[in-house]
């Protein structure tokens, strides 16, 4: 299952999440599946109630840039529920690919999916920020209104 929510976050909310990323203090994931820099946000005030129904296992801001060559092989997640939210668009490339469907980054767009949905990311030039979450629950079972989960 893969669901797309346009404008899940506003530009202001997206900028807030980018502001939490400190390039001098980031962590790095580099293995045969994932390659990115990240800032763990567990326990951080998310400054929005849009995630109130999300029982997070992990949530983080991820950064990709031209120094990180992406893995061409698609991967899935061990977590039952995940999302990616694009936080900026001032870079080239960085599309998220699920099968034959290519998602071009749009600020605030959320792609919400189950762990078996394999995907990969195209290489990019410039700083590509995303908010990535892994949940224990399925917040999609909660009523949706106007592209927002309540």
């Amino acid at each position: 299952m893969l669901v797309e929510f346009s404008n899940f976050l506003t530009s202001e909310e997206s900028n807030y999440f980018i502001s939490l990323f400190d390039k001098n203090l980031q962590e790095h994931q580099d293995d045969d599946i994932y390659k990115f820099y990240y800032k763990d946000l567990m326990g951080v005030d998310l400054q929005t109630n849009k995630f109130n129904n999300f029982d997070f296992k992990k949530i983080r801001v991820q950064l990709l840039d031209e120094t990180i060559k992406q893995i061409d092989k698609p991967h899935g997640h061990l977590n039952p529920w995940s999302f990616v939210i694009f936080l900026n668009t001032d870079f080239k490339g960085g599309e998220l690919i699920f099968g034959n469907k290519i998602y071009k980054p749009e600020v605030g767009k959320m792609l919400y999916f189950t762990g078996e949905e394999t995907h990969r990311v195209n290489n990019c030039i410039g700083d590509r920020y995303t908010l990535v979450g892994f949940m224990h629950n399925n917040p999609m079972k909660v009523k949706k209104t106007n592209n927002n989960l309540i």
Side-chain angles (χ1 to χ4, degrees):
M1 177 196 77
L2 171 64
V3 181
E4 178 181 344
F5 292 93
S6 296
N7 302 312
F8 183 81
L9 292 180
T10 66
S11 293
E12 292 80 19
E13 291 166 328
S14 296
N15 287 334
Y16 169 72
F17 286 109
I18 292 171
S19 77
L20 297 176
F21 193 92
D22 183 341
K23 287 187 178 183
N24 297 315
L25 299 174
Q26 88 279 348
E27 299 180 60
H28 187 222
Q29 175 78 30
D30 188 351
D31 57 32
D32 293 339
I33 299 173
Y34 308 110
K35 292 182 185 292
F36 53 83
Y37 299 108
Y38 69 97
K39 166 68 175 161
D40 182 7
L41 297 183
M42 290 298 288
V44 172
D45 182 3
L46 302 181
Q47 303 268 318
T48 178
N49 64 0
K50 293 179 181 177
F51 298 107
N52 287 352
N53 296 314
F54 290 61
D55 181 13
F56 287 112
K57 180 177 178 182
K58 293 179 185 177
I59 183 168
R60 61 188 176 220
V61 175
Q62 290 184 190
L63 168 67
L64 298 177
D65 63 21
E66 59 275 2
T67 67
I68 303 172
K69 182 166 173 31
Q70 291 302 295
I71 306 286
D72 289 335
K73 180 181 175 190
H75 68 273
H77 294 166
L78 298 175
N79 303 291
W81 311 102
S82 303
F83 69 78
V84 173
I85 301 174
F86 298 107
L87 300 178
N88 69 320
T89 58
D90 54 340
F91 57 90
K92 294 185 191 244
E95 299 86 3
L96 186 55
I97 302 168
F98 285 85
N100 294 328
K101 180 77 173 154
I102 299 173
Y103 291 91
K104 184 176 174 151
E106 295 175 27
V107 173
K109 178 188 282 187
M110 173 196 271
L111 298 174
Y112 174 83
F113 51 96
T114 55
E116 67 266 4
E117 294 292 336
T118 60
H119 56 282
R120 67 179 191 82
V121 177
N122 280 339
N123 289 317
C124 68
I125 298 173
D127 292 345
R128 174 194 185 265
Y129 291 96
T130 53
L131 183 64
V132 177
F134 305 95
M135 289 78 62
H136 295 288
N137 69 328
N138 179 2
M140 292 293 287
K141 287 189 176 180
V142 179
K143 184 178 176 184
K144 296 184 300 184
T145 62
N146 297 330
N147 281 341
N148 290 317
L149 303 178
I150 59 170

